[in-house]
Amino acid sequence: MRLPISWLAEYIDISDMSVEDLANKITFAGIEIEGIEQVGPSLDGIVAAEIRECMPHPDSDHLHIAKVFDGQNELQIVCGAPNCRNGMISALARIGAVIPNGGFKIKKGKLRGVESFGMLCSARELSLSDDGSGIMELPEGTKPGTPLANLFGSCETVFEVEVTWNRPDCLSIIGVAREFAAILGRPLKMPAIDFPETEVPASSLCSVQVKNKSACPDYTARVLPHVERRPSPDWMRKRLELCGQRSIDIVVDVSNYVMLECGQPLHTFDYECVAGHGIIVRNAGDGEKIRTLDGCERTLDSTMLVIADKETPLAVAGVMGGEGSEIRPGTTSVLLESASFCAPSIKSTATRLGMHTEASHRYERGVDPFLTDWASRRACHLLAAYANATVASGSVSDDSRSPDPLKVKLRFKRACDVIGMAIPPEKQISILESLSFRKVDETEDCAVFTVPSFRVDVDCEADLIEEIARMSGLDSLPEIVPSSTIVAGANDSSVRSVSVCRNTLVQLGFTEAMNYSFTSPSVLDAFSTSNRSMRMPLPNPVSAEYSVMRDSLIPQMISTMAYNHAHETSTASMFEIGRVFFKNQSGVYEEEDRICIALMGFAGRSMIDRTRPVSCRESILWLKGALESLAWKLRTPQLRFVSKDIEGFEKGFSAEVFIAGRPAGVIGIIDSAVRKKCRIQSPLSVVELKRAPLLSNVFKTVTAKDVPAYPSTSRDIALISEAGVSNEAILQIIKKAAPRELVGVKLFDIFTGAPLGEGKTSVAYSLEYRSSERTLNDDEVNAFHEKIKDALKSKLHVEIRES
């Protein structure tokens, strides 16, 4: 939220404080100042001046020598502007002033031999406009010596305030001023809300009926039978602009101004466009439509609240008004709405419609339910003062709010224990009372306070303790050195195993990614839609982008890779260790720790070999190799891959991963259709595994084996297989047919191409034989080797290539 300091100063005296002091005090009270911005030119040292005499420069054909009166002295100024003339009122920068456009400081000078004691300025030089054709010409009658800051406004300081979800009361200038009043111990000055009323009662001019009182506890309407459509005063337009609002006209500007001032959204209807002059607050009908002020036609449903007349909806409650009843150039009478809406209702509607407005931003966080009448009166005060408005007496409302304030008990000792410092009970009470909490009962050990209506975030003792802590100054809280207790028999192997896994992946060249556990359904749907019913939706999401818990790490990994690719990072290798959430077969929600690893682009190639395009086979073999290296380091038992077509992966390039004979995850190339949406051209290979089986043996004790006493002998075997024969199948046959003397099998060559025929693959293996009892001779090794060849030919019907 943007907070102009000059506007803040209207409600609390801060004239003796610097901008830095203000920012530090409120930041250490728990409300962060994200930035400090200077808006507008600094016009210090620049005044209106009268040119009493203008003469040609004796040594120049374009310069003038002007005698200028600045309200105190007559100065000699050398000026080159073509419009410099006698009697003109212009802007003079005195010696020492800094010119806004350029930042140079004015000094006494000499031009072509003539001394000059200042500078007559153009509007462009003062950053007031783009006009640089000549010096500024101020209105006749402007008194010489008048500071230009008085005419055009001084440089404004604006705070960028970070307002957290739990402090909606600070989404207003008065709300922040209330905080400063408590911090500084100074009174809060509230603006005027008085205005003259006509003899005609508002109840005779309009009616209000709330049909859904749980979603709208209070709706207050006032009627202004006459308003004049005037431009807003300069000070109001400037404040709106400083807060990021565009000035429209006095009626609309006042509603925006009051919302920024006190936090209560208002809406103005053209009174003559409200059919029957009656307001009905109801739920929309399924399929009911409304064209909102942004020009879009919205389709509503029965969960959404609307403001309607007897014929049609006029506005989406708490979000945006409709086109049919908006304030227009011909509007002469206004119906002013000030209402209290239920936060979940507005949040749900805004999310479902994909709309986010200043009003919904406040309502969905919580607006003071007892602010409606004050805000309505404040708006009427401003409209009566600046739009010559007449206001019908009284208001018309449908009010179902509970008048009883919430009461919360505070235990003094408990507050000291939680905060970690001794705070006397009287100081605790004083702090809370400065924040408008009213003490209604007190004993030696505790006190009971009523919660002010604008603090919708406070409902328990912990909240009161938090208020005491932050108002004591977060920087004054004691520094306590962390300590820990050694618990005998405690096992932290699960934490340490994750650390080993993370370090290993980093050593293999991967970078860790971190994503939120909640995401958008569209992100998950981009990869897989088959398990929508098994996802865990959030009941009250912050926004539609974070409305469901992730059931897989892969979709967000794809998004991360897409983000990197969009920012010119075409090669990446990343991993994430995180948790997923899903509904099991019994309908019970579960969570599971998983690991996701991904490669994109040339991640598996050296820097000098990056001209050839990457194939899907190459990419997935890189990832498979990285996974096997990780599994070897983690001592993962029996890692195995079984080819299987899986949704979201490229057909023929996906497999199920088994660890110790049990399903543990999936590996594959992301489907080309998914990659195309992300504009990723090269293969993107991904593996996702359950964390527990992968890390089950990290700290398993390694048993040393005797160093072989006898030499080994190796034999190569090359074979041509048909499509569908996997490396896994070949290894199983080899191991089944081999004697115990076979100690190693290594795949060292794969070839596919036209000479072999369509669908055929040539693979070559190196087999190592060794006996623990003696040296094997060639005849024995050849016999072992022939037996394995025969098994391959009979079981898999492969062709053995003889050398």
Side-chain angles (χ1 to χ4, degrees), residues 107 127 224 302 420 472 475 541 548 618 675 708 717 758 777 790:
K107 300 177 182 179
S127 295
L224 290 76
S302 58
S472 297
D475 56 334
V548 66
E618 190 178 14
R675 286 184 279 126
I717 183 170
E758 187 177 354
N777 59 48
D790 292 340

Side-chain angles (χ1 to χ4, degrees), residues 216-518:
C216 180
D218 177 51
Y219 190 99
T220 297
R222 277 191 163 83
V223 179
L224 290 76
H226 172 76
V227 292
E228 293 181 8
R229 304 300 304 285
R230 301 176 175 178
S232 299
D234 290 340
W235 61 267
M236 183 180 291
R237 288 203 305 271
K238 184 175 181 181
R239 287 180 175 179
L240 289 173
E241 289 167 1
L242 289 172
C243 290
Q245 292 274 355
R246 180 173 59 91
S247 175
I248 298 174
D249 70 13
I250 186 62
V251 176
V252 178
D253 287 356
V254 162
S255 65
N256 289 330
Y257 183 88
V258 173
M259 177 184 68
L260 294 172
E261 183 179 50
C262 70
Q264 171 67 53
L266 303 174
H267 189 68
T268 50
F269 298 100
D270 186 321
Y271 175 75
E272 298 300 333
C273 294
V274 179
H277 305 315
I279 292 293
I280 303 171
V281 184
R282 59 172 175 81
N283 286 80
D286 286 326
E288 191 170 14
K289 298 182 183 296
I290 182 175
R291 184 173 291 276
T292 48
L293 289 173
D294 57 1
C296 296
E297 187 173 73
R298 314 279 179 177
T299 301
L300 312 176
D301 61 47
S302 58
T303 66
M304 301 174 183
L305 196 69
V306 296
I307 312 301
D309 57 21
K310 65 179 182 180
E311 296 177 356
T312 183
L314 304 175
V316 181
V319 181
M320 186 179 288
E323 280 191 348
S325 58
E326 80 274 21
I327 302 299
R328 60 196 74 196
T331 299
T332 57
S333 55
V334 171
L335 190 149
L336 176 66
E337 167 198 294
S338 182
S340 173
F341 296 117
C342 177
S345 172
I346 303 304
K347 173 62 183 171
S348 173
T349 298
T351 300
R352 292 167 72 90
L353 293 177
M355 302 174 70
H356 183 79
T357 63
E358 289 287 345
S360 69
H361 182 74
R362 287 163 172 77
Y363 275 128
E364 63 194 25
R365 285 159 173 76
V367 175
D368 181 357
F370 288 89
L371 187 59
T372 52
D373 186 64
W374 188 96
S376 179
R377 289 178 177 274
R378 175 62 174 158
C380 288
H381 169 86
L382 293 171
L383 289 170
Y386 298 103
N388 197 26
T390 58
V391 185
S393 63
S395 62
V396 182
S397 65
D398 193 336
D399 186 359
S400 60
R401 298 169 296 180
S402 171
D404 298 326
L406 177 66
K407 296 180 180 179
V408 179
K409 183 171 77 172
L410 172 70
R411 294 168 290 172
F412 302 130
K413 185 177 183 304
R414 174 63 177 167
C416 295
D417 291 343
V418 171
I419 296 171
M421 59 188 293
I423 302 176
E426 56 271 17
K427 184 176 180 182
Q428 295 184 34
I429 294 172
S430 174
I431 288 173
L432 292 175
E433 288 183 335
S434 72
L435 292 168
S436 302
F437 293 88
R438 187 169 61 88
K439 184 184 70 175
V440 293
D441 192 17
E442 181 182 2
T443 65
E444 184 179 350
D445 300 324
C446 64
V448 178
F449 295 86
T450 58
V451 179
S453 60
F454 57 82
R455 289 305 301 271
V456 295
D457 59 308
V458 175
D459 61 8
C460 63
E461 183 184 45
D463 294 328
L464 296 183
I465 295 173
E466 182 183 357
E467 294 302 297
I468 295 169
R470 72 180 185 86
M471 294 305 293
S472 297
L474 299 178
D475 56 334
S476 67
L477 297 181
E479 295 182 5
I480 301 174
V481 178
S483 61
S484 61
T485 303
I486 298 176
V487 180
N491 185 1
D492 65 345
S493 60
S494 62
V495 176
R496 290 188 293 116
S497 65
V498 172
S499 180
V500 172
C501 178
R502 179 179 287 109
N503 291 338
T504 302
L505 285 166
V506 171
Q507 291 166 8
L508 287 170
F510 289 87
T511 301
E512 185 172 11
M514 300 181 71
N515 290 291
Y516 289 122
S517 295
F518 36 85

